[in-house]
Amino acid sequence: MSLLVFLEHHGNELQKGSLGVLAKAATLGDPDVAAVLLGGGVRALASEAGTFGAGKVYVAEDDALEPPLPQARVDVLATVVREGGYGTVLFANSVLAADVAAGLSARLEAGLNWDLVDVALQDGTLVGKRPALQDSVSVDVGWRSEPRLALFRAGAFDAVATGGGEPEIEELSVELEEHSRGARVVEQQLEDTSGPSIEDADVIVAGGRGLGAPESFALAEELARALGGAVGATRAVVDAGWYPYSAQIGQTGKTVSPKLYVALGISGAIQHKVGMQSSNVIVAINKDANAPIFEFSDLGVVGDVHEIVPKLTALLEQRRG
Amino acid sequence: MKIAVCVKHVPEGAARIDPTSKRLDRSGEGGLNHFDANAVEEALRLKADSDAEVVVVSMGPARAADSVRKALAMGADRALLISDEGVAGSDLVGTSAVLAAALEREAADLVLFGQQASDADGAVLWAAVAERLRRPVVSQAMELSLADGSLRVKRQTEFGYDVIEAPLPAVVAVSDAINEPRYPSLKGIMGAKKKPSETLSLADLGLDAAAVGEAGAKTEVLALGSPPPRGDSRTIEGDGNAAQAILDFLAEKRLV
Ligand SMILES: Cc1cc2nc3c(=O)[nH]c(=O)nc-3n(C[C@H](O)[C@H](O)[C@H](O)COP(=O)(O)OP(=O)(O)OC[C@H]3O[C@@H](n4cnc5c(N)ncnc54)[C@H](O)[C@@H]3O)c2cc1C
Ligand SMILES: Nc1ncnc2c1ncn2[C@@H]1O[C@H](COP(=O)(O)O)[C@@H](O)[C@H]1O
């Protein structure tokens, strides 16, 4: 079973999620796990991939691979998989990797299992573990043909160095399809990740679209103050401009594990859940009794945030006197 | 200008996997995947600016016609439903092949997708369809505009925001933050029944039944595990005492 891992980088840093998948791949019994690194300046990152278990690293530094767009990457990967005869390709989920994996699936008519949290060899066959239907059931999934494509949930594996040595490096030539040259990144607004971080807060009060309006984030802020905590937000409200990007919790945002997480008007979509599910205690207020967030809350309160939150804040303030 | 919108009919309420077929039980009540209402809304917004024709395209069981009708009631012009015994059990490879074949026929300038199907949470289908159509694709669009034969998208990534341009024809998946979908008006609901709606089989699309559906699936569900233990979680109805109940709970957990 020959394994290939798609590595993602940003600036000159390999992404932890993809290194975690590489480290996992190195435990699956294939002595020559390979990795692919595509983009500007990636050659310099190849030896780090070695320390996470890659025996061989394919690199391509073409200009077309500079912007974080999927289609040119599908072209390169398809060639590597075909020529290298790889039976399994593993991806760590991200905005970019999901589109690369799905494009490759169609290009190679290869089965893709997504949202996997683990993978194992059972009697020599690769089996993926996937929580499904709002994580209400755990499913074992398999592949009927090669290559097998696997997309892992963000944070599925820790990036632990395997102590591997210097990998063999193979430079790839890049030939792109017409449709892969269409999209262009014309502007990138990188968000500053320095400054005080909500990742260290013991208490987080997070707000979602159920707050109804940007002004209502005051409810979350006041409750956070009363609890001595920080404020978080969902992607829906960040993209709507209600709250800053730095407060976003979830797959594309921060991963937090405070002692207390209070979710106000948040539905509990899987991409939000992966960023906060390891919180010690989760309290959710949502007016919809069927909201998925209640499936993983310690205390679920079916009700209106506008009624309950001001009262709760007042009670907390009274208590403190 | 023609805009195609891919919409999915999903089970409503608590979905379950049938233990025998190991497939999602699609026999119960269903409705339009709410993330796809954002894609329909965006098409209607673009239509208002550019006088486009909006075609909804869906693959699913016969009752998916209800969801298609909802999209028509919102204001889409025409519908195409691919419904065939042979598509049941399709995975990404099969679904993308069927939708791409239907979209190939439509030759739309822009194909829109929603952010994810609430039953499968794949959030991947657009990239597979775009690959088959050999068109540029942009996902997670939170802003979309068209000008001079190309599109411009703003989208969020793990590192901030990207602005991406691509020539038409192209495929775009929109995020649920892009707009507030409208509710169908009574007039829209009445009018939807009269709008052109076509149902196609695999044969109509010239597709081989062995390549799609359960027969053509490249992935499979091997086993269903029992749900993870829920711990001692509680739910309370938020009456007048909810705030006090939360405070009591926090005190019990020594969090205040
Ligand atoms: C690739 C990808 C990455 C993503 N990354 C992230 C991420 O990092 N973080 C993230 O959060 N999301 C992410 N998402 C988006 C995610 O799928 C959801 O769309 C998003 O989390 C929904 O945000 P929400 O809960 O605020 O809004 P909604 O889903 O609209 O939920 C609002 C909730 O508020 C409730 N409500 C309404 N009014 C009230 C009221 N008055 N009182 C109480 N409750 C009320 C409603 O019942 C509803 O449950 C990602 C999606 C994709 C595809
Ligand atoms: N059976 C289907 N028919 C038409 N469109 C679909 C179908 N399944 C998914 N889609 C579209 O693909 C998007 C992403 O779905 P998924 O990748 O399955 O989460 C949805 O928001 C829909 O726009």
Side-chain angles (χ1 to χ4, degrees):
Chain A
M1 193 185 45
S2 48
L3 298 169
L4 185 67
V5 178
F6 175 77
L7 288 181
E8 199 171 334
H9 70 289
H10 177 67
N12 53 12
E13 239 179 83
L14 291 174
Q15 292 308 110
K16 289 243 163 53
S18 59
L19 288 177
V21 170
L22 174 57
K24 175 71 191 182
T27 67
L28 290 173
D30 171 13
D32 312 299
V33 174
V36 192
L37 255 173
L38 310 171
V42 291
R43 206 179 188 296
L45 306 175
S47 60
E48 190 186 350
T51 62
F52 287 88
K56 177 171 187 171
V57 182
Y58 294 93
V59 295
E61 295 198 318
D62 198 274
D63 283 349
L65 298 166
E66 186 74 37
L69 294 173
Q71 289 169 303
R73 289 170 165 75
V74 172
D75 293 341
V76 179
L77 271 173
T79 312
V80 175
V81 173
R82 282 200 195 107
E83 290 179 2
Y86 289 97
T88 304
V89 192
L90 309 174
F91 300 84
N93 197 11
S94 71
V95 167
L96 176 63
D99 287 357
V100 176
L104 192 65
S105 163
R107 176 77 62 90
L108 300 177
E109 304 291 339
L112 172 66
N113 280 310
W114 58 78
D115 213 20
L116 302 182
V117 294
D118 203 0
V119 69
L121 276 179
Q122 288 175 9
D123 306 325
T125 320
L126 201 68
V127 175
K129 307 277 174 190
R130 180 187 167 198
L133 301 177
Q134 252 90 46
D135 294 358
S136 62
V137 24
S138 158
V139 178
D140 282 2
V141 293
W143 292 261
R144 289 180 174 160
S145 61
E146 291 193 353
R148 313 171 192 90
L149 309 184
L151 181 61
F152 291 92
R153 187 179 275 192
F157 310 111
D158 291 334
V160 260
T162 56
E166 201 57 35
E168 176 194 342
I169 291 178
E170 182 168 333
E171 307 236 5
L172 298 166
S173 63
V174 176
E175 276 172 58
L176 300 186
E177 301 283 335
E178 181 66 29
H179 66 275
S180 304
R181 300 173 182 276
R184 291 179 307 130
V185 174
V186 295
E187 197 185 322
Q188 274 191 301
Q189 304 163 6
L190 297 182
E191 295 287 324
D192 194 6
T193 46
S194 59
S197 157
I198 56 171
E199 279 132 306
D200 303 324
D202 277 342
V203 175
I204 293 177
V205 178
R209 197 144 49 181
L211 286 173
E215 306 81 70
S216 301
F217 254 88
L219 291 179
E221 285 170 342
E222 285 154 16
L223 179 57
R225 206 172 305 128
L227 286 165
V231 176
T234 63
R235 184 178 85 167
V237 294
V238 169
D239 277 357
W242 297 8
Y243 221 68
Y245 179 87
S246 56
Q248 183 175 314
I249 291 164
Q251 182 187 314
T252 356
K254 306 249 157 71
T255 302
V256 297
S257 44
K259 293 191 177 120
L260 173 63
Y261 191 92
V262 185
L264 306 178
I266 293 178
S267 60
I270 188 70
Q271 297 93 345
H272 184 73
K273 180 181 178 183
V274 296
M276 45 66 78
Q277 63 189 350
S278 55
S279 305
N280 264 354
V281 173
I282 299 170
V283 175
I285 306 176
N286 193 307
K287 70 173 184 193
D288 174 7
N290 293 317
I293 189 105
F294 290 135
E295 297 297 322
F296 51 95
S297 302
D298 300 283
L299 179 67
V301 182
V302 183
D304 188 334
V305 288
H306 297 98
E307 267 172 44
I308 299 171
V309 178
K311 285 188 195 156
L312 177 59
T313 306
L315 285 176
L316 283 161
E317 278 164 357
Q318 265 173 35
R319 192 183 151 98
R320 277 209 298 198
Chain B
M1 174 81 186
K2 191 198 271 191
I3 304 175
V5 188
C6 292
V7 303
K8 187 176 191 186
H9 183 75
V10 296
E12 247 158 32
R16 63 173 210 113
I17 297 180
D18 183 316
T20 350
S21 71
K22 300 205 182 74
R23 280 194 220 149
L24 193 63
D25 182 356
R26 298 191 186 278
S27 60
E29 284 295 299
L32 177 67
N33 173 32
H34 73 90
F35 293 108
D36 297 344
N38 294 102
V40 175
E41 179 64 37
E42 198 57 16
L44 297 176
R45 194 186 63 74
L46 293 168
K47 173 185 159 92
D49 296 347
S50 66
D51 204 31
E53 184 194 22
V54 176
V55 186
V56 284
V57 177
S58 187
M59 178 189 108
R63 62 174 74 205
D66 296 348
S67 293
V68 163
R69 205 172 310 112
K70 174 158 184 210
L72 292 174
M74 286 175 72
D77 300 301
R78 196 156 63 73
L80 201 62
L81 174 62
I82 306 104
S83 198
D84 191 306
E85 282 291 301
V87 305
S90 289
D91 66 354
L92 177 64
V93 165
T95 306
S96 62
V98 172
L99 285 176
L103 290 164
E104 199 82 65
R105 261 178 47 134
E106 287 295 332
D109 303 279
L110 178 65
V111 180
L112 294 180
F113 283 80
Q115 154 185 315
Q116 69 206 69
S118 63
D119 56 351
D121 284 328
V124 288
L125 185 57
W126 51 79
V129 170
E131 166 62 31
R132 294 191 188 280
L133 295 173
R134 305 179 64 77
R135 290 186 187 174
V137 62
V138 188
S139 62
Q140 316 304 333
M142 52 178 277
E143 280 171 31
L144 170 62
S145 59
L146 303 179
D148 305 325
S150 69
L151 61 85
R152 188 180 172 93
V153 158
K154 183 175 181 188
R155 65 115 164 238
Q156 197 198 85
T157 71
E158 290 81 3
F159 315 106
Y161 293 90
D162 290 347
V163 180
I164 299 170
E165 288 182 356
L168 297 176
V171 176
V172 173
V174 305
S175 100
D176 65 346
I178 197 168
N179 55 38
E180 265 311 317
R182 70 194 68 185
Y183 289 101
S185 65
L186 193 59
K187 189 162 154 264
I189 294 168
M190 300 310 289
K193 295 182 185 125
K194 297 192 209 81
K195 288 181 174 169
S197 179
E198 207 183 338
T199 302
L200 297 180
S201 65
L202 286 174
D204 293 333
L205 290 172
L207 287 171
D208 178 4
V212 301
E214 175 69 33
K218 309 281 193 225
T219 54
E220 59 189 335
V221 171
L222 301 169
L224 295 179
S226 49
R230 286 229 30 205
D232 72 334
S233 81
R234 315 170 218 178
T235 307
I236 55 173
E237 288 298 324
D239 51 20
N241 297 323
Q244 186 63 49
I246 299 172
L247 183 64
D248 294 346
F249 174 83
L250 296 179
E252 177 195 320
K253 297 274 174 194
R254 300 181 183 282
L255 289 162
V256 285

